Amino acid sequence: MTTTPVMQAENIVKELGAGAGLVVAVKGVSLELVPGELTLLMGPSGSGKTTLLSILGCIMKPTSGSIRIADTKIDGLSAEELAKVRREHLGFIFQSYNLFPTLNAIENVRIALDVRGVKGFAATSRSEEVLREVGLGHRLTNYPRNLSGGEQQRVAVARAIASSPSIVLADEPTAALDSENGHAVMALLSRIAKEQHRSVLAVTHDPRTLGYADRVVRIEDGRIVGEERRPEGIDSPEITDLTKRRKLHA
Amino acid sequence: MVFTLALRNLLHDRVRLAVTLIGILFSIVLVAVQLGLYLGSSRMITANIARSNADLIVTTFGAKSFEDGGLLLGDRERHQALATPGVESVVPLVVAFAEWRKPEGGSSRVVLIGSDADDQGLLPWGLIQGTVEDIKAPDAIAVDSTYLSELGINGVGDTAQAGGGRVKIRALTEGIRSFTQSPYAYTTLNRARQLLGADDDKSTFLLVKLAPGANITAVQKDLAHRLDSADVLTKDEFESRSLKQWLFRTGAGLALIGGAILGSLVGTVIVAQTLYSSTKDHIHEFATLRALGSSRGYIYKVILAQAGLSAIMGYVLGMAIALLILYFSRNSSLPLVMTPGLAFWLFALTLFMCAISALSAIVKVTKIDPATVFAR
Ligand SMILES: Nc1ncnc2c1ncn2[C@@H]1O[C@H](COP(=O)(O)OP(=O)(O)OP(=O)(O)O)[C@@H](O)[C@H]1O
Ligand SMILES: [Mg+2]
């Protein structure tokens, strides 16, 4: 199955800090994301994963390099124009969920639709729909403080997919979760990629997540050092255990 | 969702909300009281002029206020005025300070107003005892019930000495307050002249009514030309002259307006402070919103909604307290006045105050870097 990439990043370089504290966090990364795939971005702490994710997510501007999203070049766009690209194409999931503590589950999803101009009944019913999709149909009006970590992260997943973005970016989505919840969230991300034909990129440290990946990209010291792909034809992540093929990075 | 988020942000920290509301409330009450006093004073100062049945008022040249006319106009002026084309009637009115001797001893001052009921020039209003007819009786006088004890009397039937003669209370009014704190005392034209020791053709003002169809400006000009030792003013002109005298020459009005400005400044500073600290506390949420793709405008709307909601809540509370103060001041010698207009302007002021207050918070969120969402 050949698919056109929804995102193409070419030769991304990012310098952070200034003067003596200058760090080149990303040193010429090229990466493509295609629909229907869950890609994991793995690498040691400080290797530039979050920085790269922020750049791919149009939240941070690269020092050099170019990014295309849905065949549109986003280089040189203003902050407001980048916000528009995020609204139209991207969904985000954060390590610490970043839910609004004063809004309940449904409102937390609704606000992501609200900033996109989707309001009223359409917004409410869509929010309910995605919360049901992530298995939270019984927690619609709970506030974050009354939800478990796993449930909170599932609200965040619902929020990320509510506007049907073509790309979902997640930074350490399971880092704050126990094993069971971690698996549940990864299964969800994999399902979102497959069933909804989205491109999902998740930064992770967590070897438990490997089993869900279609593709694993390895980054070290700001450079991509390797890439593995699940053999075609096998579509149950439980069967394909990439951890068994870890010879590349022992 | 903008309002939902704004409201939740406000309710999230009750102490801060309380401080915000107290700040706005304090401001509103202060401004309402100051402006209410200003309006109340203005009304007291202009009430008799406004009640005068006249299109034009002839005063002695340079008279600064209703109480300042002297008794210099005579029959000559009255006839000249009557002879002016477009003038239908000219009614004399006497207004002057007079000494008031209380029956039990001691004295104070009143402003004696002499006008004949049949002339319909200027009659006491808000009568709660007695009638306008009763004031026609010899020695009869009407005063306001607020000032009874100040005048050393108990009510209708009591007698006292005003100027050069004896007077008997025949009627009582309610709500005719005096800015000078010398109560108005209404009697007939001739009795007022007698009490003041004036000639029987003298008066302080001539109240001019125009014939139907006459052009007020033309008649005013003509009258001014003929009466060279007098001023000819419309009611509005005379009212503003009196206001200028009592509120601005004395500094009372400036003090009231200054107090109002100070009140709104203090309110603005308090609200700006709380709104800024609330925004700082929620900065991570605003950064998340920004990362989710919200425009800057959306975030400004949340902050402005917080300001607007605070304004509405603060206004309602402030107004409630201001109206309470107003209620308790109703029988005092300087009652506050609240009009729908003033209530509207106070609300506009509150919104304006809160919008200004939002500026520092808006500057703060403008600097948000959405990249901070990953740095936690
Ligand atoms: N604002 C900054 N100024 C200077 N250097 C920075 C800044 N932010 C990050 N860095 C540096 O850039 C490099 C990459 O950081 P980044 O956060 O992308 O790493 P990471 O792979 O996400 O690490 P972790 O797994 O610990 O989250 C690190 O060396 C970090 O110290
Ligand atoms: Mg990181």
Side-chain angles (χ1 to χ4, degrees):
Chain A
M1 185 170 74
T2 53
T3 349
T4 33
V6 281
M7 175 180 291
Q8 294 164 284
E10 242 173 85
N11 215 5
I12 302 295
V13 173
K14 180 65 183 178
E15 296 172 359
L16 289 169
L22 185 98
V23 175
V24 186
V26 180
K27 301 172 177 166
V29 166
S30 298
L31 189 70
E32 286 187 352
L33 297 180
V34 294
E37 267 190 9
L38 169 57
T39 306
L40 296 186
L41 181 62
M42 301 190 88
S45 184
S47 56
K49 303 183 295 293
T50 298
T51 309
L52 181 59
L53 194 80
S54 308
I55 292 168
L56 297 179
C58 303
I59 280 175
M60 207 182 251
K61 292 187 187 180
T63 309
S64 67
S66 106
I67 295 176
R68 279 172 171 278
I69 291 178
D71 265 332
T72 316
K73 246 194 152 114
I74 62 150
D75 311 343
L77 295 187
S78 70
E80 284 308 285
E81 289 164 333
L82 287 176
K84 184 163 178 277
V85 173
R86 295 198 291 275
R87 287 199 291 278
E88 288 175 355
H89 300 288
L90 295 159
F92 290 94
I93 297 162
F94 310 96
Q95 174 174 346
S96 40
Y97 327 130
N98 289 20
L99 296 180
F100 293 80
T102 56
L103 301 180
N104 65 27
I106 214 165
E107 291 163 341
N108 261 288
V109 178
R110 266 193 65 173
I111 197 156
L113 293 169
D114 201 63
V115 302
R116 290 166 166 86
V118 183
K119 298 178 196 277
F121 179 73
T124 313
S125 60
R126 173 65 182 157
S127 304
E128 275 189 43
E129 184 188 330
V130 284
L131 282 168
R132 293 216 159 85
E133 253 174 67
V134 301
L136 287 177
H138 59 306
R139 292 277 186 272
L140 296 178
T141 55
N142 280 43
Y143 284 84
R145 63 172 179 280
N146 297 326
L147 293 169
S148 72
E151 287 171 333
Q152 288 186 53
Q153 193 60 303
R154 281 190 276 157
V155 174
V157 171
R159 178 174 71 182
I161 61 172
S163 64
S164 304
S166 49
I167 304 160
V168 175
L169 302 175
D171 192 15
E172 311 264 9
T174 61
L177 301 176
D178 61 27
S179 166
E180 192 183 332
N181 279 306
H183 278 291
V185 166
M186 287 314 293
L188 198 54
L189 291 180
S190 155
R191 228 179 69 207
I192 287 165
K194 295 278 164 346
E195 291 172 10
Q196 303 179 353
H197 211 60
R198 300 181 209 289
S199 177
V200 182
L201 175 69
V203 162
T204 172
H205 268 120
D206 185 355
R208 291 173 304 178
T209 60
L210 277 168
Y212 297 93
D214 300 298
R215 178 183 169 210
V216 178
V217 175
R218 307 222 172 245
I219 183 170
E220 263 170 45
D221 192 25
R223 287 195 181 84
I224 291 185
V225 295
E227 188 173 330
E228 299 145 70
R229 187 173 281 277
R230 189 220 316 269
E232 295 226 12
I234 303 170
D235 46 29
S236 164
E238 282 79 17
I239 297 171
T240 313
D241 189 350
L242 284 161
T243 52
K244 286 183 184 152
R245 307 194 290 125
R246 293 185 66 183
K247 48 194 181 282
L248 256 173
H249 56 91
Chain B
M1 284 308 280
V2 166
F3 272 93
T4 311
L5 189 60
L7 187 63
R8 302 281 172 82
N9 281 354
L10 285 179
L11 296 176
H12 180 67
D13 189 337
R14 304 286 163 101
V15 175
R16 180 160 46 215
L17 179 60
V19 173
T20 309
L21 294 184
I22 288 170
I24 298 174
L25 181 155
F26 171 80
S27 250
I28 292 299
V29 170
L30 200 65
V31 176
V33 166
Q34 300 284 317
L35 295 184
L37 284 175
Y38 181 88
L39 271 189
S41 306
S42 307
R43 282 202 183 168
M44 281 193 242
I45 291 164
T46 58
N48 278 297
I49 302 172
R51 288 271 171 173
S52 299
N53 183 22
D55 296 314
L56 290 168
I57 299 175
V58 179
T59 75
T60 24
F61 186 76
K64 294 194 192 72
S65 70
F66 184 71
E67 289 82 0
D68 184 45
L71 275 160
L72 300 171
L73 301 174
D75 273 344
R76 199 178 68 92
E77 285 82 7
R78 196 161 73 89
H79 288 130
Q80 276 174 330
L82 269 173
T84 307
V87 170
E88 187 172 77
S89 68
V90 177
V91 170
L93 177 68
V94 165
V95 179
F97 283 105
E99 192 183 8
W100 179 274
R101 287 176 184 283
K102 300 174 190 176
E104 309 285 334
S107 75
S108 65
R109 281 206 313 176
V110 293
V111 177
L112 210 53
I113 296 179
S115 170
D116 283 340
D118 297 338
D119 288 343
Q120 293 291 318
L122 171 62
L123 297 173
W125 63 94
L127 287 163
I128 49 169
Q129 263 187 64
T131 63
V132 171
E133 290 301 307
D134 291 332
I135 308 168
K136 288 183 180 169
D139 303 347
I141 205 159
V143 294
D144 197 79
S145 51
T146 319
Y147 299 107
L148 283 179
S149 65
E150 236 177 286
L151 296 173
I153 47 178
N154 297 316
V156 169
D158 280 6
T159 55
Q161 180 103 5
R166 206 185 66 106
V167 291
K168 185 165 187 169
I169 312 296
R170 292 283 190 175
L172 286 179
T173 63
E174 192 177 75
I176 305 183
R177 308 293 206 289
S178 168
F179 183 75
T180 62
Q181 299 303 314
S182 298
Y184 294 110
Y186 296 82
T187 183
T188 59
L189 183 61
N190 279 325
R191 184 67 186 146
R193 285 171 177 152
Q194 280 169 18
L195 294 172
L196 294 165
D199 291 349
D200 61 7
D201 72 324
K202 291 298 182 202
S203 71
T204 313
F205 304 113
L206 297 173
L207 305 179
V208 176
K209 287 292 279 181
L210 299 189
N215 179 314
I216 186 159
T217 335
V219 176
Q220 184 179 13
K221 245 184 168 166
D222 197 0
L223 273 172
H225 185 69
R226 289 163 190 248
L227 303 164
D228 48 11
S229 63
D231 278 341
V232 183
L233 306 172
T234 63
K235 268 163 66 164
D236 282 349
E237 285 166 351
F238 195 32
E239 284 179 16
S240 51
R241 218 191 238 199
S242 292
L243 287 175
K244 217 158 136 195
Q245 167 67 12
W246 291 122
L247 289 181
F248 295 100
R249 294 241 168 78
T250 63
L254 286 179
L256 292 174
I257 289 172
I261 292 174
L262 208 68
S264 36
L265 281 181
V266 170
T268 308
V269 169
I270 294 178
V271 177
Q273 190 55 44
T274 57
L275 207 55
Y276 182 81
S277 76
S278 158
T279 305
K280 244 176 91 178
D281 280 5
H282 293 279
I283 201 81
H284 197 74
E285 289 158 47
F286 288 126
T288 303
L289 262 184
R290 198 84 175 105
L292 294 181
S294 88
S295 61
R296 255 191 211 126
Y298 190 91
I299 293 175
Y300 296 162
K301 274 191 225 160
V302 175
I303 291 173
L304 286 174
Q306 271 182 249
L309 288 169
S310 310
I312 292 168
M313 290 189 262
Y315 175 79
V316 169
L317 291 174
M319 244 354 217
I321 292 179
L323 289 175
L324 214 65
I325 295 175
L326 191 114
Y327 178 78
F328 285 113
S329 81
R330 73 195 187 286
N331 290 324
S332 75
S333 57
L334 184 46
L336 297 181
V337 170
M338 176 61 63
T339 62
L342 178 55
F344 170 81
W345 285 112
L346 279 174
F347 185 58
L349 174 75
T350 317
L351 284 181
F352 178 72
M353 234 168 65
C354 289
I356 293 288
S357 307
L359 282 180
S360 60
I362 281 178
V363 168
K364 176 90 190 154
V365 295
T366 302
K367 295 184 187 146
I368 286 183
D369 178 4
T372 56
V373 285
F374 293 117
R376 202 161 75 161

